[in-house]
Amino acid sequence: MTESIKVPKGLERVIVDQTSISSTDSKGHLIYRGYSATDLAAHASFEQTAYLLINGKLPSSAQLTEFSKRLKEMSNLTTQQEALAEFIGTTYPDNPIIDNLRTVISGIKLESKDESSQLLEMAAKIPGIISKLYYGSAQSPAKGGAQSGYAATFYRMITGKSDISLSKHFEKLLILYMEHEFNASTFALRVTASTLAGPKPSFTSALATLKGPLHGGANSEILNYLLSVKSRDEAIKYVDSKLAKKEKIMGFGHRVYKDKDPRAEFVKGQIREVAKRNGMEKLLEFAEAIEERMWESKRIPANVDFYAAIYLYMLGIKEPFYLPIFAAARSFGWNAHYKEQVADNKLIRPDSEYIGPKNLKFGHDKA
Ligand code: SDX
């Protein structure tokens, strides 16, 4: 029996396993299977990147055609799946979509039999479930035409709009949200997968974990405060007052990125183009004022969620969809991690150091 090893709280900077799916470093580099994630966001399609993450290499054109066709076919909800999503969405209309999405995923009957297909089926179906949960019994916007891919179809299902340029922007953000090493929700998925509980319970654990504001659930608050400031001065005052009260500002800080989050940098560049198109330069100016003040005051960089919230707002997407969009994209990274975990599995079960009372005798204590 090997000796226990004590590690920092929160497993900070602790390498718990090896992975060949993605890698980040404190200097602000993020790679997916060896390729720069921001290069993929700039030049690849969602389907190419999903195939790369799941299979470990970029698809040939024949493989891409086959994968895209399979993804599109799998994205259609069965009658039972649609009925469950409609029931949950209309029974619990006040629940955040992420909560209802978790319930539907843990409850639906999957069409696929083998685990690999079940993983892909869940990822493929999340946009349809999200749309159904939001629009309820009302007919959700017609799906994108036969020719449109995952991102354009998803964009249309949540906005009702077919806009090639805005869908392309949406696709870039989805690619950046797809994967991020052993972040909390991916690690929760791997812990569940390591017990051999199977794909649905593993996705349910990941969806439950993603919700936390320290992980995925920050972008709603980010948008609220960003839309509340009306000048650069107000933006700076907002930062100073939060820091003075020792409160955290959502959208800033990261366990790994200490200089910059490459995704935030990339998205900020993309936002400039969209901001000009729809006259929202001021919103970007105030956001940059907040970012500068945070860096000046605490040397804490913006993380992906800070600029993603602005990007989604500028793409005309409503705030209740923000976290579910993160989940939809990350479900492809979860696909890859589930497979990697079970392919070379060891139950994830750490030790703990007991610091509670000892040698108490039941029945002998004074009441
Ligand atoms: C994502 O892990 C991933 O990969 C996540 C993610 C992914 O793709 O899956 O990249 C997604 O990055 C979104 C993160 C969204 N959450 C937020 O934006 C919430 C605000 N951020 C923080 O709560 C925090 O920065 C964390 C949780 C993201 C990281 O926290 P750590 O590594 O545990 O660091 P910490 O909380 O111990 O903070 C260290 C110091 C503290 O100051 P001191 O007590 O040492 O003086 O930095 C300060 C913190 O107070 N700090 C902040 C801050 N974040 C850290 N101060 C003000 N505002 C903040 N946002």
Side-chain angles (χ1 to χ4, degrees):
M1 179 78 173
T2 46
E3 274 301 297
S4 294
I5 311 155
K6 214 168 165 200
V7 295
K9 202 165 180 62
L11 298 179
E12 184 154 19
R13 310 310 302 143
V14 173
I15 294 175
V16 292
D17 202 343
Q18 293 178 326
T19 180
S20 53
I21 301 170
S22 71
S23 168
T24 64
D25 67 31
S26 60
K27 291 278 164 270
H29 300 108
L30 169 59
I31 56 171
Y32 292 173
R33 300 280 193 191
Y35 294 89
S36 148
T38 47
D39 270 1
L40 292 164
H43 306 296
S45 70
F46 184 90
E47 287 81 353
Q48 281 173 308
T49 311
Y51 186 98
L52 169 69
L53 283 172
I54 293 170
N55 299 290
K57 59 181 180 45
L58 282 169
S60 64
S61 60
Q63 288 166 328
L64 180 61
T65 306
E66 175 53 30
F67 179 74
S68 306
K69 183 166 159 288
R70 189 160 180 246
L71 200 59
K72 194 150 201 66
E73 284 161 4
M74 281 186 152
S75 68
N76 299 312
L77 304 185
T78 63
T79 317
Q80 182 268 356
Q81 291 166 350
E82 194 153 37
L84 181 61
E86 186 168 328
F87 171 74
I88 297 293
T90 45
T91 311
Y92 305 107
D94 301 334
N95 274 0
I97 298 176
I98 193 77
D99 292 356
N100 286 342
L101 173 62
R102 184 191 67 229
T103 305
V104 173
I105 285 287
S106 63
I108 54 172
K109 187 176 176 317
L110 295 170
E111 296 178 276
S112 315
K113 297 293 170 262
D114 65 284
E115 286 202 346
S116 170
S117 304
Q118 287 178 349
L119 289 161
L120 192 61
E121 181 183 348
M122 285 191 286
K125 286 190 157 119
I126 285 179
I129 295 169
I130 289 171
S131 178
K132 196 72 202 157
L133 286 171
Y134 184 80
Y135 290 100
S137 46
Q139 182 54 31
S140 55
K143 289 192 171 180
Q147 79 295 348
S148 54
Y150 175 94
T153 303
F154 192 1
Y155 183 77
R156 181 173 173 129
M157 287 164 80
I158 53 178
T159 64
K161 284 186 289 196
S162 282
D163 182 310
I164 305 259
S165 156
L166 295 182
S167 308
K168 270 318 279 165
H169 277 288
F170 184 52
E171 185 166 28
K172 294 177 190 300
L173 183 61
L174 290 171
I175 288 171
L176 292 175
Y177 261 145
M178 267 171 142
E179 165 57 17
H180 214 244
E181 282 185 337
F182 280 24
N183 60 84
S185 53
T186 297
F187 190 58
L189 172 119
R190 290 188 75 129
V191 169
T192 308
S194 79
T195 70
L196 304 184
K200 270 202 324 181
S202 302
F203 260 54
T204 304
S205 298
L207 284 165
T209 308
L210 185 68
K211 171 172 177 155
L214 297 189
H215 179 18
N219 33 37
S220 311
E221 188 179 326
I222 294 164
L223 192 69
N224 294 337
Y225 74 69
L226 266 175
L227 294 179
S228 68
V229 296
K230 299 295 173 230
S231 69
R232 276 185 70 85
D233 283 352
E234 273 189 33
I236 290 166
K237 278 202 190 84
Y238 173 81
V239 174
D240 294 349
S241 70
K242 289 287 272 187
L243 296 184
K245 289 180 280 185
K246 292 233 171 294
E247 290 173 5
K248 289 197 172 170
I249 299 177
M250 295 295 118
F252 286 87
H254 197 278
R255 177 60 60 83
V256 176
Y257 298 129
K258 297 307 172 193
D259 290 344
K260 60 182 166 67
D261 181 332
R263 304 166 297 178
E265 299 288 303
F266 179 90
V267 170
K268 186 160 72 164
Q270 295 298 315
I271 287 176
R272 243 178 263 295
E273 186 190 316
V274 185
K276 228 182 251 119
R277 172 174 153 166
N278 50 22
M280 290 188 182
E281 292 95 328
K282 277 283 170 219
L283 184 60
L284 180 56
E285 185 197 329
F286 301 158
E288 288 180 308
I290 287 173
E291 182 184 16
E292 284 152 25
R293 192 63 168 185
M294 271 299 274
W295 186 256
E296 263 164 46
S297 316
K298 292 207 76 165
R299 284 282 179 275
I300 293 178
N303 59 48
V304 62
D305 274 359
F306 183 64
Y307 282 106
I310 304 166
Y311 204 18
L312 290 165
Y313 180 74
M314 290 187 179
L315 297 180
I317 296 174
K318 293 192 180 86
E319 177 275 320
F321 287 116
Y322 290 12
L323 180 52
I325 287 167
F326 189 160
R330 189 56 55 92
S331 69
F332 289 86
W334 293 339
N335 255 264
H337 280 277
Y338 180 97
K339 292 172 141 178
E340 186 175 73
Q341 180 63 40
V342 300
D344 178 19
N345 190 44
K346 177 109 178 124
L347 175 67
I348 299 173
R349 196 280 186 210
D351 268 359
S352 52
E353 181 188 17
Y354 179 71
I355 56 169
K358 289 179 183 169
N359 309 322
L360 300 180
K361 297 276 173 284
F362 181 69
H364 296 247
D365 312 324
K366 299 276 165 293

